[in-house]
Amino acid sequence: MDTTKTSAPNAAEADTTPVDLEKTETAQDAATEAEAEAKADADLDAATDTGSALADADLDDDFSEDPADDEQPGHVGSAAFAIVSAGLSVVALSGSWVAGIVSERASVAARLELSQAADANAQIAAQFVNPWHTTAMVNGVFSALALIIATFVLALPAFSTPERTLPTWVRSVSWAGIGLGALGVLLFVLMYFDLLLAVPKAGAV
């Protein structure tokens, strides 16, 4: 009888123990899941904040770089004028269709003014000397323009900010324009005043 009475409480304890274990495991699983979700949310918030900070930093860098780019001086105009001066000087030395047309016009005008009784020297002057002088004058004008433009390009930085300097190739082209332009002006003076080549004269009859 004593043995039977004592066995009943043990059976009840045996029945209630698994239930308590299952409840404990369920509570632990819920707490673990809650911690994992909280950690994931914290990581997501941290990543979002980091991305926003990087985007703001890049935007600030862009805004800070734009004024610096705008402050850089442009040399497009100076380069264009330097090339124009060199081109004009080359055209002045090699000749142009403008000089040809003007010289032919001068020749025609001199022939129309020439009388029938003109001597040989007058005919030579009307047919050859006047066109030569006209061609020299046109080429001299081109050379003077090239010289003026090249000098203006080289002198332009002196009237701007001290930090502004022309690129090396622009200065080289400008100096080439000055050299060729000065040579063209010198040839104009020598040819126009017949200092380099004397005017041919007809022999006495």
Side-chain angles (χ1 to χ4, degrees):
M1 294 297 289
D2 294 336
T3 305
T4 304
K5 289 181 179 180
T6 56
S7 61
N10 292 333
E13 291 178 357
D15 292 339
T16 56
T17 301
V19 175
D20 295 336
L21 291 175
E22 290 179 357
K23 290 181 179 180
T24 303
E25 292 177 355
T26 303
Q28 291 178 353
D29 293 338
T32 304
E33 291 178 357
E35 291 178 358
E37 290 178 357
K39 185 177 181 181
D41 293 337
D43 294 338
L44 182 59
D45 294 337
T48 303
D49 295 337
T50 303
S52 300
L54 292 175
D56 294 337
D58 294 337
L59 187 60
D60 293 338
D61 293 339
D62 294 338
F63 280 115
S64 62
E65 290 176 358
D66 288 340
D69 295 337
D70 294 338
E71 292 177 358
Q72 294 295 329
H75 305 288
V76 177
S78 301
F81 280 113
I83 294 173
V84 168
S85 66
L88 285 175
S89 60
V90 171
V91 169
L93 292 176
S94 61
S96 63
W97 62 273
V98 177
I101 292 175
V102 175
S103 65
E104 290 177 0
R105 178 182 174 83
S107 177
V108 172
R111 289 179 184 179
L112 291 176
E113 294 177 358
L114 191 63
S115 62
Q116 295 291 335
D119 58 356
N121 290 328
Q123 293 178 4
I124 291 173
Q127 295 180 10
F128 302 105
V129 177
N130 288 337
W132 293 343
H133 290 172
T134 305
T135 302
M137 182 180 65
V138 173
N139 292 335
V141 171
F142 283 161
S143 299
L145 287 176
L147 187 61
I148 293 172
I149 293 174
T151 305
F152 171 76
V153 171
L154 291 177
L156 186 62
F159 300 98
S160 60
T161 56
E163 293 80 7
R164 182 177 182 182
T165 55
L166 294 175
T168 304
W169 72 271
V170 174
R171 286 179 289 174
S172 300
V173 174
S174 299
W175 278 113
I178 288 178
L180 295 177
L183 180 60
V185 172
L186 178 62
L187 290 177
F188 155 70
V189 173
L190 295 176
M191 295 294 291
Y192 189 83
F193 295 101
D194 300 325
L195 300 176
L196 183 61
L197 298 174
V199 177
K201 298 292 184 180
V205 179

